Amino acid sequence: MAEDFATPKHIAVIMDGNGRWAKSKGLPRTAGHKKGAEALQLFLTEAERRNIKYVTVFAFSSENWSRPEDEVSALMKLLKQNLKQNLSKAEKNNVKYHFIGDLSPLSKDIVKMIKELEEKTALKDGLCLNIALSYGGREEIVFAARKLAEKVKAGEINPEDISEEVFSQNLYTSGQPYPDLLIRTSGEERISNFLLWQLAYTELVFIDTLWPDFRAEDFDRALLEFQKRERRFGAIKG
Ligand code: IPE
Ligand code: IPE
Ligand code: MG
């Protein structure tokens, strides 16, 4: 069967605009994050319906730790609630969870739930969901460089063995295809330190919808835009 280039295998999402959504409704920013979590559930249902194999969502960046303490703690509380819900649903759904980022600043109980969710779903063969949490793209690259330097120091590999492939095997997304499509909501047109290595040849689609308002129609529009793109990877169309 011919390969289906029209459907992205891997979609990355910068779920942005929760704060502005709340502000536009005269609500606290936290209300936007809560709605944002619901929008993610909807997005995942739509992704499964469209047979997308990999989804990577930006939930909380390394830089988001610098937000006011009350917003960070509200986000952590929401995260805990969501982890709990997903743990109880894990048996019956078919999602394989993988968390990417530096988990060390997170509380012990959150890390425990994350590990539990990853272990519980490790053998699922449905959607692979990467959740970027306390994640920074530059940091990920630094961590990979450090891991490789340690392997060289231990005499396990030689510096000349470090190829693009070997490097990518030391990133959080090791073994996964790179994203074909990146969707960022809220009208901002930047990467904000997301998947810097992995996005090298990804098609970028920026949409004005604020994340809590993201619906199936927005998904369709993003896919339609993706299908119009001609991916060349530096070559000339044959
Ligand atoms: C994205 O929405 C969610 C997180 C970064 C946690 P924002 O909170 O950035 O919302 P805006 O950009 O301020 O509207
Ligand atoms: C990126 O959004 C991070 C997440 C969506 C989790 P931000 O709102 O933090 O990014 P900037 O500050 O607008 O670049
Ligand atoms: Mg934002």
Side-chain angles (χ1 to χ4, degrees), residues 148 158-170 197:
L148 288 164
N158 295 312
E160 56 274 23
D161 297 333
I162 303 172
S163 59
E164 285 187 14
E165 202 188 331
V166 168
F167 201 92
S168 85
Q169 284 161 3
N170 285 272
W197 173 286

Side-chain angles (χ1 to χ4, degrees), residues 37-238:
E38 289 170 25
L40 174 58
Q41 288 315 310
L42 267 167
F43 181 88
L44 295 175
T45 306
E46 292 300 321
E48 282 179 315
R49 209 165 60 79
R50 291 168 169 83
N51 292 317
I52 311 292
K53 183 68 191 156
Y54 297 89
V55 168
T56 302
V57 293
F58 208 177
F60 190 83
S61 75
S62 325
E63 291 78 19
N64 289 150
W65 287 113
S66 64
R67 292 191 179 193
E69 213 182 303
D70 61 339
E71 179 164 351
V72 172
S73 65
L75 280 164
M76 291 303 137
K77 199 170 150 208
L78 191 61
L79 170 64
K80 230 195 255 183
Q81 284 168 2
N82 281 311
L83 283 166
K84 212 166 155 193
Q85 273 171 17
N86 289 326
L87 270 166
S88 63
K89 284 193 305 196
E91 301 288 356
K92 60 174 197 302
N93 77 24
N94 208 17
V95 177
K96 180 175 171 168
Y97 288 85
H98 181 49
F99 287 79
I100 64 171
D102 175 17
L103 303 187
S104 64
L106 293 161
S107 72
K108 278 205 186 79
D109 52 341
I110 288 182
V111 175
K112 192 168 162 255
M113 288 166 102
I114 285 175
K115 295 289 163 211
E116 214 179 312
L117 193 53
E118 285 183 336
E119 277 160 26
K120 240 182 166 173
T121 63
L123 298 175
K124 299 281 185 181
D125 60 3
L127 179 79
C128 291
L129 174 61
N130 297 313
I131 302 183
L133 196 61
S134 185
Y135 172 91
R138 288 179 182 159
E139 191 174 75
E140 179 183 28
I141 291 170
V142 168
F143 285 171
R146 210 178 278 163
K147 268 199 258 173
L148 288 164
E150 274 159 13
K151 285 180 194 170
V152 171
K153 195 175 164 197
E156 290 166 27
I157 57 167
N158 295 312
E160 56 274 23
D161 297 333
I162 303 172
S163 59
E164 285 187 14
E165 202 188 331
V166 168
F167 201 92
S168 85
Q169 284 161 3
N170 285 272
L171 295 169
Y172 296 129
T173 51
S174 168
Q176 301 185 6
Y178 294 138
D180 304 292
L181 165 66
L182 168 86
I183 303 171
R184 181 171 189 154
T185 57
S186 89
E188 306 296 352
E189 301 190 353
R190 56 177 171 264
I191 300 300
S192 299
N193 204 15
F194 193 38
L195 303 175
L196 295 182
W197 173 286
Q198 296 87 339
L199 294 179
Y201 267 105
T202 299
E203 294 299 329
L204 311 178
V205 171
F206 299 103
I207 65 168
D208 287 336
T209 307
L210 300 171
W211 177 252
D213 287 330
F214 193 95
R215 294 294 176 272
E217 301 79 65
D218 299 293
F219 207 137
D220 287 334
R221 269 197 288 273
L223 287 180
L224 203 66
E225 176 62 34
F226 173 78
Q227 281 153 11
K228 282 196 253 169
R229 304 280 175 91
E230 188 197 305
R231 303 187 78 190
R232 290 191 289 269
F233 300 95
I236 292 168
K237 203 186 166 212

